[in-house]
Structure formats: structure tokens, C-alpha cells
Amino acid sequence: MKEKVKSWVLALLVFGSLVESYYLIYRLPGSDSAVMSENLYVKTDNMGPEEKVENLLYPDKMIIHMGESKHTLFYPNTTFYNLILNRLKGRSFESFQRRSVQDFDWDKIRNENPGIELSFGAGIPVTLLQRVMQLSPDSLFEGESIDRIWIYNMKNDSKAHAVFFSTRGDIVYEAAKADLTVQDVQQHVDFGNNLTNYKAVNGDYYVPVAKVSMVEVEMPSGMYTIQQMQSNLFFDAGSTRYIPEKDGSEIYTDSKRSLQVDQEQNWMSYSDPAALPAGDSTPAKDALEAVDFVNEHGGWNGTYRLAATEEGRQERKVSFQQFYGSSPYGSYPIISQPKLQYGVINLELQQGTVSSYERSLLFVEEDKAVKRIVDLSFGERLEGQLAQISQASAVKDLTPVYVPAVKGEKLQLIPVWRVTLMDGTVLTLN
């Protein structure tokens, strides 16, 4: 009998020891970790899911050149855009040859040769582009950023041509080996038949000759709380102190990091000037670091696209543009307004470490959206508006976008034309 009691006592002691070891290693929820780095943040109250960088890399538009000066445009989340992009992702491009942009007659290629032009806005580093396309770059090409890819056929030529444009503006890289046939390119171009025609203006932008339809939307909106942001951004949210500013904004700081909230614009600016620099920085690495940072400190409250990786004097700025929409009408960027910053996430990095993080605190309930179809101006009327605007500075780009507006407890997304001028001015046309 005594032996049985001893066995049970021993078993209980072993079980108790195992339980104690478990809690010592993993700790109870809410308790401190046994070892906690100062740069490790508490991850709570996410604003959206995490995202892979591959899902943030895609063209802002496709320009389909059909020959005989005929063109059409495809935008993200339209049937033919998705089909062409998925096909191109499966094709390989090799043996890149560096050439001057002046070696090509782009006006002739644009108006006479069937082709597909992919626009990447401010550009994507080649090392990131490799994540979504099968590229085999040499060391020279690998260090570039690409803002356009132009794939086209030439008369009496049995192979397709693929040209990658450097953001430097004077250099292109032509793939001597492209896993595309002339028939492949022509098939993609034929998708543009019987769709809205666009008129090329000076080779810079395209004006539709018929109406372009978009979805105007109104959605219930709310605002993430300051407590949620503090939990996301500070190691110990309870140690922060509050500092009111004369302009009405609020600052929360733990003496090292600061969170500034503009209640009127529903906008937050977080800075960490004491962040230890990693010392290794490239446009691609900084973009990846920025994606990881957003994943860990809020997440993605919608569909975003890598918009820019701009280098400053001592820092690199990385921006992500929010898109809204769905098939068949397409997705378009949401652009901030002077009185309402919304639709963009901005980060600054110093030597590979995030030192600044900005985004809107607004959220919307997309499942409760009220939608209606609207048409943008087109043809001679639109050309007349652009001609008047261009008297001050030439038009560089014309793109359909959404302008956000707050209406009570709802957010409106209003379709407009965004006009970008050569001097950098950005205007909107209803």
C-alpha cells in the first residue's frame, strides 16, 4: 500500500514539475517574456491581415497597342488585365542587353506595332520584380529599377521583343531571349478588340474616345483608437505620456518613440529616431523591411500596391498606394486630399531600419457599401479640358482615380480623372 502511495506522489510531483516548466518557458498570456528585446513590439488589434510582398507588386495599368494608331487600356482587377499578367508571370526573360532609349523609334512602335506596355509608376527594383516574373538578370541589370515593360512584335520579324525601361530615363534593357512567340503577343493584343479606344497624346498619356465607367461607393466608416495604435507601436503602452499640441494634434511618447495623431484628418505619424540602423540598405531590402513593419504594426486594411521607393539625403521613403474596385470595372488608386489624407501608407528608413511610419486611422465596412456606376468625361470634351490645363504646363499623365470624402459617419470614394503635369502639379477633373 505504501509503495502505491509513493508512486502516486512521485507521479504528481513529476506532473507538477512539467506544468511549472511549461509556464516558465511560455508564460501565461499577458505576462512578460523571459527575455524581451527592446525593439520587440506587442502585436495586438491589427487593422488588417498581413500581406506578402509579391501581392503588392503589379502594374498600375496595361496599355494595349493594336497598330494603326489604336490603343486601349486595362486596369487591375479587370478580366484581360488579370489574364495577361498571369500569363506573363509564367514566361522567362534572359540575356539582357543594355541599350540607349534613343536607339528605338517609340512613336512608330507605339502606333504601328502590336504590343503590350506594362506601367509600374515610379518603378520597382529588379530584385523585387524577380519575385513575380521569371527574370535572369546580370549584375548590371539587377541593380536597376524598372518603371515600364514593353513587349511588342515587328513586321517581318519572327520573334517577340521585350524591353525593360530603367527609371533613370536614358537606358533600356532588351531581353535577347524571351519565352514568348509572336502569336502569344498578338493573342494578348487581340483582347483589346471591340473595347474602348484611346487616343495617344504626344506619347505621354491616353484619352478615351468613349465613356469610361467606374463605381462610386459610400461605406460606413470608423476610426481606430489611440489605445490600439499605442499597443501596436510601443513596447510598454502603459509607460507613454500625453502631450497636447497647439495645432490640436496629440503626441504620445515613451521618451524614445513618439506617436502623433491628427484628429481632424484621422491621421497618425509614428517616429523612432533612436532606432538602431542595420547598416545594409538597398531599395529592394528597404521595401521588404517596410512590408514586414506594416505586417507587424497594423497590417493592411485593403488592397495596396508598392508605389515608390525614393531615396532622400539620409533616408529612403517607401510608399504603398491603396486601390479600390473589382471586376469588371477595375481597381483604381485612392488619392489623398489636402483636408483628408487617406489611401496611402508612408514609411522612412535609415540604413535599413524604419524610423517613420504614417497612415490613416480610418477604416470602412466594405460589406455594407452602397455603389452606383458613373461615367468620366471623354473624347473632345476631355481633350478641351486638358488643352486648357496644359497652357500652364504640359500634361504628363492621365489616370482614373478615387478621391475620398467623409460624409458624416461614412466614407465616399468619388471617381475622377487625375491629371499630372510635367512640373509635378497634380489636378483632378470630375
Side-chain angles (χ1 to χ4, degrees):
M1 184 66 182
K2 290 183 179 180
E3 292 300 322
K4 285 186 179 182
V5 172
K6 288 181 180 179
S7 296
W8 278 105
V9 171
L10 182 60
L12 287 172
L13 288 173
V14 170
F15 178 77
S17 177
L18 289 172
V19 171
E20 185 178 5
S21 298
Y22 174 86
Y23 284 112
L24 284 171
I25 294 172
Y26 296 101
R27 296 284 176 142
L28 288 167
S31 62
D32 296 332
S33 300
V35 179
M36 177 72 79
S37 167
E38 191 178 73
N39 290 325
L40 184 62
Y41 295 86
V42 179
K43 185 177 175 183
T44 58
D45 295 323
N46 282 346
M47 304 165 78
E50 295 185 2
E51 192 59 276
K52 295 179 180 179
V53 69
E54 288 82 358
N55 295 332
L56 306 172
L57 307 174
Y58 52 90
D60 56 12
K61 58 178 171 283
M62 290 181 185
I63 306 160
I64 307 300
H65 306 291
M66 297 177 284
E68 300 179 353
S69 298
K70 294 181 179 179
H71 318 271
T72 194
L73 272 68
F74 297 152
Y75 291 96
N77 261 330
T78 54
T79 301
F80 292 134
Y81 174 101
N82 293 338
L83 182 58
I84 292 173
L85 186 60
N86 288 332
R87 286 184 176 182
L88 292 179
K89 285 179 178 180
R91 302 305 176 96
S92 60
F93 301 87
E94 304 175 27
S95 302
F96 291 93
Q97 299 174 354
R98 192 169 187 256
R99 299 178 64 180
S100 169
V101 72
Q102 303 297 331
D103 292 346
F104 300 81
D105 186 344
W106 295 113
D107 283 337
K108 183 177 181 179
I109 294 172
R110 176 181 296 106
N111 292 313
E112 297 181 12
N113 297 58
I116 310 151
E117 188 178 348
L118 311 183
S119 166
F120 288 95
I124 293 179
V126 169
T127 48
L128 287 183
L129 198 57
Q130 283 181 275
R131 289 173 170 259
V132 292
M133 296 186 71
Q134 297 183 40
L135 309 179
S136 299
D138 57 20
S139 58
L140 195 62
F141 183 40
E142 196 172 43
E144 296 279 8
S145 287
I146 299 300
D147 58 15
R148 274 192 298 167
I149 301 174
W150 201 329
I151 301 169
Y152 61 93
N153 292 337
M154 291 186 68
K155 191 175 181 180
N156 300 323
D157 197 334
S158 60
K159 73 169 187 175
H161 295 256
V163 180
F164 294 67
F165 290 70
S166 167
T167 53
R168 292 165 48 184
D170 59 341
I171 295 296
V172 297
Y173 292 81
E174 184 170 11
K177 295 181 181 180
D179 183 24
L180 281 166
T181 66
V182 170
Q183 290 74 23
D184 290 331
V185 176
Q186 187 62 55
Q187 185 183 56
H188 294 160
V189 170
D190 287 343
F191 291 149
N193 293 338
N194 303 318
L195 297 180
T196 300
N197 282 330
Y198 285 73
K199 176 183 176 181
V201 182
N202 302 324
D204 293 317
Y205 62 96
Y206 297 82
V207 177
V209 301
K211 67 179 181 180
V212 174
S213 298
M214 291 177 63
V215 177
E216 184 176 283
V217 62
E218 184 175 279
M219 299 170 282
S221 65
M223 181 173 161
Y224 293 103
T225 67
I226 293 169
Q227 289 74 23
Q228 286 175 306
M229 293 302 98
Q230 286 179 292
S231 296
N232 267 320
L233 294 165
F234 292 102
F235 168 65
D236 182 4
S239 67
T240 59
R241 55 194 178 92
Y242 164 70
I243 304 174
E245 292 289 281
K246 292 181 180 179
D247 61 2
S249 63
E250 304 167 345
I251 294 179
Y252 300 83
T253 178
D254 63 357
S255 298
K256 294 182 179 179
R257 309 170 185 89
S258 66
L259 171 65
Q260 185 169 5
V261 177
D262 186 332
Q263 296 281 10
E264 288 188 4
Q265 295 226 7
N266 302 319
W267 185 256
M268 57 150 275
S269 301
Y270 167 79
S271 63
D272 186 4
L276 296 176
D280 188 12
S281 174
T282 66
K285 287 181 179 179
D286 283 353
L288 290 171
E289 178 65 26
V291 172
D292 287 342
F293 191 91
V294 176
N295 281 340
E296 295 169 5
H297 302 94
W300 306 85
N301 60 323
T303 301
Y304 283 82
R305 176 184 172 275
L306 175 63
T309 56
E310 301 174 0
E311 191 164 1
R313 292 183 179 180
Q314 295 181 334
E315 76 288 331
R316 181 173 281 109
K317 298 179 181 179
V318 180
S319 299
F320 299 95
Q321 182 75 57
Q322 186 174 0
F323 276 59
Y324 179 83
S326 59
S327 183
Y329 295 99
S331 293
Y332 305 91
I334 304 171
I335 62 171
S336 291
Q337 294 295 288
K339 294 183 179 180
L340 177 60
Q341 296 188 72
Y342 181 82
V344 66
I345 297 176
N346 297 320
L347 300 98
E348 288 186 5
L349 297 95
Q350 295 184 354
Q351 294 181 296
T353 301
V354 174
S355 59
S356 175
Y357 175 43
E358 297 181 330
R359 67 184 297 167
S360 174
L361 294 175
L362 277 176
F363 67 85
V364 296
E365 298 180 55
E366 289 194 28
D367 58 331
K368 298 180 181 179
V370 176
K371 303 177 182 179
R372 71 185 185 99
I373 307 302
V374 299
D375 299 328
L376 298 181
S377 58
F378 62 92
E380 293 182 359
R381 178 188 174 192
L382 179 56
E383 288 186 65
Q385 292 174 308
L386 295 172
Q388 187 173 3
I389 291 172
S390 63
Q391 293 178 3
S393 177
V395 176
K396 180 181 180 182
D397 185 54
L398 177 70
T399 303
V401 299
Y402 283 109
V403 168
V406 172
K407 183 181 178 182
E409 294 184 355
K410 295 182 179 180
L411 180 74
Q412 290 181 313
L413 295 180
I414 305 167
V416 299
W417 285 113
R418 179 183 64 192
V419 184
T420 305
L421 305 183
M422 289 293 184
D423 64 5
T425 304
V426 177
L427 308 171
T428 58
L429 294 175
N430 293 332

